[in-house]
Amino acid sequence: MDINDFDFELPEKLIAQTPLQDRTASRLLVMNRKSKEIEHKHFPDIKNYLKKGDCLVLNDTRVLPARLYGIKKDTGAKLEVLLLQQEEEDCWEVLAKPAKKIKVGTELVFGDGRLRAFCLETREHGGRILQFNYDGIFYEVLDELGEMPLPPYITEQLSEKERYQTVFAKEEGSAAAPTAGLHFTNELLDELKDMGVIIAFITLHVGLGTFRPVSVDNIDDHTMHSEFYHMTAETAETLKAVKKNNGRIISVGTTSTRTIETIARDNDGEFVASSGWTDIFIYPPYNFQAIDGLITNFHLPKSTLIMLVSALVDRVSILRAYNEAVYEEYRFFSFGDAMLII
């Protein structure tokens, strides 16, 4: 399948640069999987499409303020590092800029010395392994010194760090927010629970690979990045019960989708407690084993994310919906509006 089959025209003005003050104020495009009919609603209207016994699967990953600005101790040269993945204890894989200034043995200083790091290893494309030294608790130091690693298409600064976190974010370790979850408030979740909608949680730590463009013409040749996931026994049992009782599983975001589809794929369609790394690449045609519906934001042209969404309905219908969203001037990407496929 050709990468250009997933292209569409997107005016730059539709890329949302800042979040709405009210999380639930986003618009909601609703697509029926069977009829392909489209409706234009607002996010709280999601209550009208869910029923007792349905289950929303939310990703409870928490975004690290992973962008650090510091200097080389010996020269005072300014530099930037972005935490990618914890290797062990205080050792992290990072993306460094300018990478050529950071060689093995280089000492880095952040926040007037409150956080220091030594380069242990160099990797390709600006990757480095750093060992951090600090007093106290690492995540508390990082929260004070770090900035949110906003996607490259967002050029404005974020005034409140928590606005790039979901209200249910708990498990530290993500390089980006599971943005479909940003539309929910605790109040809306409580309303859904009162209706009998079941809320379940998985964890998938989003990697920066989610922002990397597909660099091949034939998408069959694309290799997905790996991301760490975890499903508890409680969630596995909840999802089993939902299926047994003929409820619908609606994943909130592509990250939740990739997690539970990975687990179902690896366990003959069953949900089991598990942890691991997934590089699952979902694109048409694909036989979904876990989900019945999806809540998601509007994604970049020619991205693996729009391919996943296309696999749930069909490519032509999804591109028609995207073109209609452009015409209706929906807000796109991380801080943008939402889409419900059900």
Side-chain angles (χ1 to χ4, degrees):
M1 202 168 230
D2 193 280
I3 183 65
N4 292 308
D5 291 340
F6 298 91
D7 198 10
F8 63 94
E9 290 293 326
L10 178 66
E12 188 173 342
K13 69 176 183 178
L14 297 185
I15 300 175
Q17 291 295 321
T18 55
L20 299 175
Q21 187 172 4
D22 176 3
R23 289 176 182 263
T24 64
S26 299
R27 297 166 71 188
L28 180 70
L29 186 149
V30 182
M31 170 169 274
N32 184 294
R33 283 183 72 185
K34 292 182 179 179
S35 69
K36 312 302 192 300
E37 291 181 357
I38 292 172
E39 297 178 88
H40 299 287
K41 301 291 183 178
H42 288 86
F43 197 77
D45 295 325
I46 201 167
K47 292 177 289 187
N48 300 325
Y49 297 89
L50 302 176
K51 58 188 178 182
K52 183 177 180 179
D54 287 343
C55 179
L56 290 181
V57 182
L58 305 170
N59 184 1
D60 65 3
T61 189
R62 186 169 179 82
V63 185
L64 294 173
R67 194 181 303 278
L68 291 164
Y69 297 94
I71 60 170
K72 285 181 64 179
K73 183 183 178 184
D74 55 354
T75 66
K78 294 181 179 180
L79 48 84
E80 173 188 336
V81 299
L82 185 63
L83 305 186
L84 297 181
Q85 178 181 312
Q86 189 173 18
E87 298 276 310
E88 57 180 75
E89 198 61 30
D90 292 320
C91 292
W92 287 75
E93 179 183 6
V94 307
L95 191 63
K97 190 168 69 173
K100 62 182 180 181
K101 292 185 178 180
I102 304 176
K103 298 179 172 59
V104 172
T106 300
E107 182 176 2
L108 315 179
V109 180
F110 307 93
D112 296 327
R114 295 165 58 201
L115 183 65
R116 295 173 179 269
F118 290 88
C119 181
L120 302 181
E121 182 184 334
T122 61
R123 294 187 176 177
E124 294 180 348
H125 308 299
R128 299 291 185 270
I129 300 297
L130 300 183
Q131 180 171 11
F132 288 94
N133 296 317
Y134 52 91
D135 292 324
I137 299 172
F138 179 73
Y139 289 118
E140 290 182 357
V141 176
L142 188 63
D143 194 52
E144 292 180 19
L145 300 181
E147 290 186 2
M148 283 295 178
L150 295 177
Y153 46 75
I154 294 178
T155 58
E156 296 190 20
Q157 291 295 318
L158 188 62
S159 59
E160 298 178 47
K161 287 183 181 180
E162 284 302 307
R163 198 55 185 82
Y164 194 54
Q165 304 280 14
T166 62
V167 296
F168 43 82
K170 183 175 69 171
E171 301 295 334
E172 300 272 10
S174 196
T179 54
L182 295 177
H183 302 283
F184 288 91
T185 60
N186 287 319
E187 292 76 16
L188 179 56
L189 289 171
D190 287 341
E191 287 185 60
L192 292 171
K193 291 177 190 175
D194 290 341
M195 290 170 48
V197 175
I198 300 161
I199 307 297
F201 295 96
I202 55 86
T203 302
L204 182 135
H205 293 320
V206 187
L208 285 182
T210 193
F211 300 124
R212 291 188 182 132
V214 177
S215 58
V216 294
D217 292 330
N218 185 346
I219 65 174
D220 292 331
D221 298 329
H222 178 67
T223 300
M224 285 289 286
H225 56 285
S226 292
E227 296 169 315
F228 178 80
Y229 71 87
H230 175 67
M231 178 187 280
T232 64
E234 178 183 5
T235 293
E237 291 303 316
T238 295
L239 296 183
K240 286 180 189 175
V242 170
K243 285 290 190 184
K244 182 179 179 181
N245 295 324
N246 296 316
R248 297 176 299 177
I249 294 176
I250 296 101
S251 60
V252 178
T254 57
T255 60
S256 295
T257 302
R258 294 179 69 239
T259 300
I260 57 179
E261 287 294 332
T262 293
I263 292 169
R265 177 199 64 182
D266 295 346
N267 296 280
D268 297 321
E270 295 293 318
F271 299 111
V272 299
S274 55
S275 297
W277 293 83
T278 180
D279 60 357
I280 190 171
F281 182 16
I282 298 175
Y283 61 96
Y286 179 84
N287 178 32
F288 284 87
Q289 299 184 61
I291 71 168
D292 302 294
L294 170 66
I295 300 169
T296 185
N297 281 19
F298 291 94
H299 305 295
L300 281 79
K302 299 195 286 190
S303 66
T304 60
L305 304 179
I306 193 173
M307 294 173 197
L308 184 153
V309 177
S310 297
L312 188 59
V313 188
D314 64 72
R315 183 184 64 84
V316 172
S317 296
I318 289 299
L319 288 178
R320 176 172 60 85
Y322 267 59
N323 286 327
E324 188 162 331
V326 169
Y327 179 79
E328 296 290 340
E329 296 194 336
Y330 276 67
R331 302 167 79 242
F332 275 65
F333 306 161
S334 297
F335 291 138
D337 295 313
M339 182 177 191
L340 169 65
I341 302 172
I342 201 164

